[in-house]
Amino acid sequence: MTSDTNLSPQDALKKAVAQAAVDYTLSKIDDTSIVGIGTGSTANFFIDLLAEHKAKVAGTVASSEASADRLKQHGIPVYDLNAVDEVTIYVDGADETNSHLELIKGGGAALTREKITAAVAKEFLCIADGSKWVDNLGGFPLPVEVIPMARSHVARELAKLGGDPVYREGVITDNGNVIIDVHHLHPISPVRELEEKINNITGVVTNGLFALRPADALMLGTEGGVKTIYPKN
Ligand code: 5RP
């Protein structure tokens, strides 16, 4: 659980955006709404702050087992995505965002369930501290979730695209797969094209570029306060 004491400056920004996102989420939901919950430290602040209003939250779907466990510890109902008709709003962090609100995600290895939840959600709100804002994506190594038997094949194909693939040792995703992080792709352009190309490699489950379905809005934590940003055309 989070406390205001001993928060690093970066965590204080994460908590500030999480609080703004809770306020926004409460304004968008009614007593039948399902809230999509992301994964990571910023999403954890969101979960803990949302729990203070849990009587107003009919249900959630979670993008990882870790987030589902945290929600359940707070007594917030968690549903299987297949059991709900609609996700009103999905709130999640990011490893990088550009001004189009195209993202890199998957630092926490939850990218596939995150991408599925974002695809279903009517609205995708990204929450991030200011360090995640970049002119061009690709400084953060791009996570790719891969079927284990295809690991070497996919790594060779990723190298052909100009990146340096690095197997994330010791990590198995919630879906039973492995992660390859692709270094040295910066600057990624055009982003959607690379997202499609990597998804078309046989053995790839998905990659951490969120450009075909970018965020609809971003709450960015800065020294000057929380800024709400909409995608640049
Ligand atoms: C997990 C993610 C996270 O959203 C991303 O890694 C950001 O995490 P944090 O909020 O801890 O900075 O994509 O797979």
Side-chain angles (χ1 to χ4, degrees):
M1 305 302 124
T2 55
S3 109
D4 275 319
T5 53
N6 302 325
L7 279 187
S8 68
Q10 188 179 21
D11 279 349
L13 296 179
K14 290 180 182 188
K15 187 171 182 184
V17 290
Q19 183 61 64
V22 166
D23 296 342
Y24 181 75
T25 299
L26 292 173
S27 78
K28 301 291 278 197
I29 60 174
D30 60 28
D31 57 6
T32 63
S33 303
I34 298 294
V35 180
I37 307 287
T39 298
S41 56
T42 318
N44 283 345
F45 281 114
F46 179 76
I47 292 169
D48 295 348
L49 291 164
L50 188 67
E52 294 173 16
H53 307 272
K54 64 182 175 190
K56 294 181 188 153
V57 182
T60 61
V61 293
S63 65
S64 64
E65 298 298 335
S67 290
D69 288 347
R70 198 175 185 101
L71 288 158
K72 287 175 194 164
Q73 279 166 21
H74 280 299
I76 298 175
V78 182
Y79 295 102
D80 186 296
L81 185 59
N82 294 305
V84 306
D85 292 330
E86 188 174 281
V87 174
T88 303
I89 183 167
Y90 174 49
V91 181
D92 197 2
D95 298 299
E96 284 186 346
T97 174
N98 66 17
S99 59
H100 303 289
L101 308 193
E102 297 168 326
L103 314 172
I104 286 185
K105 292 183 48 53
L111 60 157
T112 299
R113 294 188 187 197
E114 291 172 341
K115 200 173 271 198
I116 294 166
T117 313
V120 173
K122 282 170 70 181
E123 184 174 358
F124 175 14
L125 173 63
C126 183
I127 50 175
D129 66 88
S131 71
K132 310 295 181 65
W133 181 264
V134 295
D135 289 336
N136 293 290
L137 300 178
F140 190 91
L142 177 64
V144 181
E145 180 164 350
V146 177
I147 302 287
M149 74 170 286
R151 193 181 92 205
S152 298
H153 164 69
V154 170
R156 286 190 290 269
E157 295 300 308
L158 290 169
K160 285 183 197 164
L161 294 177
D164 288 329
V166 176
Y167 172 47
R168 204 184 291 183
E169 296 272 356
V171 171
I172 299 292
T173 70
D174 286 346
N175 313 305
N177 298 313
V178 298
I179 298 286
I180 295 176
D181 294 305
V182 193
H183 295 246
H184 304 133
L185 288 171
H186 184 270
I188 294 176
S189 179
V191 184
R192 288 174 180 217
E193 199 173 291
L194 186 65
E195 182 177 355
E196 283 174 340
K197 268 189 192 166
I198 295 178
N199 282 346
N200 281 338
I201 299 171
T202 303
V204 166
V205 178
T206 198
N207 72 82
L209 288 173
F210 283 55
L212 297 166
R213 200 295 182 228
D216 297 308
L218 166 70
M219 286 183 171
L220 192 71
T222 72
E223 297 300 330
V226 175
K227 293 184 180 160
T228 302
I229 297 167
Y230 296 97
K232 190 177 144 192
N233 289 321

